[in-house]
Amino acid sequence: MTEERTRALATAVIVGALVLSSTVALTSPTVDARPAHEIPVTERPDAALGSPTAAGWSSVPASDVPLSSAPSSVPNADDTSIEQVHVQAVRSDGEFYLRLQWEDPTQNVSAASTRTFLDAAAVQFPVDTSSRPPIAMGGQDNRVNVWYWSGDGGTQELLAGGAGTTTSFPSPVVDATATYRDGTWTVVYSRELGAGEGSDDRTDLDSADSLDVAFGVWNGANGERAGRKAVSEWHYFPLDTSPQGPPYQTLLWTIAGLAIVAVVGVTAFGVLRTRSDEGER
């Protein structure tokens, strides 16, 4: 067998392997490439999403964020009832909209007596978006902003640097509206993206590639209040909207395909070269 024929056969094998690997990549089941704990943020110019029932929310991607009882020394801290919260987020013309939904069979909107408690929900962000603070109300070196809504219609914007350090902003800039229907609470928070001039204690929602976020929910009918609450781990919003490269699973398939081609090509060429040498003896 001539060396030219050997090379031709090796080339044919390599081309065949390349076609095969490309076919495998294209026909392989697609998987969700979104990393764990990422919550998508939708860009929606001129969106009117301040109402929980706004029609535009139906087309906004969502994430189901699991909740569990917060570590706490308060009585019955591990007895919480809300297991997940449905989260949607939109940026629109300088505004940030955040919609939370969760199932709750009872609507608790009054705390008129010492044994009644409000349904409530909270969203937590780091003040310094370049690092992740302790999830339990932040720490001295990285405080957190908390947006707190309660079933009586109250909305607070809070600052905390650890348990027991919570203070209220004297002039809150967060709005919240809510509806309760068919055993489900829906709450929409809204705020301008920028922290505002001189607001070093307020999270800038537009200054980082990604923004850490955590959630808490209280079921008043279950006696949940203060440290007795269902909470999430840290999740994050991807805020960088610059053009990105191909999804990482596509890159993995490409690298794997090239590796297969290289191995098959080298192996085939070696085998054919050996046979050629034996034929010339």
Side-chain angles (χ1 to χ4, degrees), residues 245-261:
Y248 74 85
Q249 80 273 24
T250 301
L251 294 175
L252 291 177
W253 277 114
T254 302
I255 293 170
L258 291 174
I260 292 171
V261 169

Side-chain angles (χ1 to χ4, degrees), residues 68-72 77-78 80 227-231:
S68 59
S69 299
S72 176
D78 59 350
T80 57
R228 183 179 173 185
K229 57 187 175 182
V231 297

Side-chain angles (χ1 to χ4, degrees), residues 70 72-77 79-80 111 113-120 148 217-230:
S72 176
S73 59
V74 302
N76 301 314
D79 179 15
T80 57
S113 72
T114 57
R115 295 189 178 184
T116 59
F117 306 98
L118 296 169
D119 294 333
Y148 178 82
V217 179
W218 291 259
N219 178 5
N222 192 47
E224 298 172 25
R225 72 276 190 193
R228 183 179 173 185
K229 57 187 175 182

Side-chain angles (χ1 to χ4, degrees), residues 89-220:
V90 172
R91 292 198 301 186
S92 176
D93 295 335
E95 289 285 325
F96 191 86
Y97 296 96
L98 184 57
R99 187 177 189 245
L100 308 185
Q101 279 189 312
W102 68 94
E103 295 181 2
D104 184 345
T106 58
Q107 181 184 17
N108 302 103
V109 296
S110 174
S113 72
T114 57
R115 295 189 178 184
T116 59
F117 306 98
L118 296 169
D119 294 333
V123 184
Q124 176 177 276
F125 302 101
V127 173
D128 178 2
T129 58
S130 66
S131 62
R132 177 172 284 184
I135 197 167
M137 304 303 289
Q140 285 185 332
D141 296 332
N142 193 354
R143 296 169 295 172
V144 293
N145 279 170
V146 177
W147 301 353
Y148 178 82
W149 165 89
S150 56
D152 60 357
T155 304
Q156 299 181 62
E157 186 182 14
L158 308 171
L159 178 68
T165 65
T166 304
T167 58
S168 298
F169 281 85
S171 301
V173 296
V174 176
D175 293 321
T177 57
T179 61
Y180 181 85
R181 182 178 299 173
D182 299 327
T184 298
W185 273 112
T186 304
V187 179
V188 171
Y189 299 88
S190 60
R191 205 208 81 179
E192 291 186 359
L193 288 171
E197 186 175 352
S199 298
D200 295 335
D201 294 333
R202 184 172 282 131
T203 304
D204 189 336
L205 303 176
D206 201 30
S207 64
D209 292 341
S210 64
L211 175 65
D212 289 321
V213 61
F215 307 94
V217 179
W218 291 259
N219 178 5

Side-chain angles (χ1 to χ4, degrees), residues 80-92:
T80 57
S81 56
I82 309 301
E83 297 181 352
Q84 70 174 15
V85 60
H86 190 71
V87 182
Q88 297 165 281
V90 172
R91 292 198 301 186
S92 176

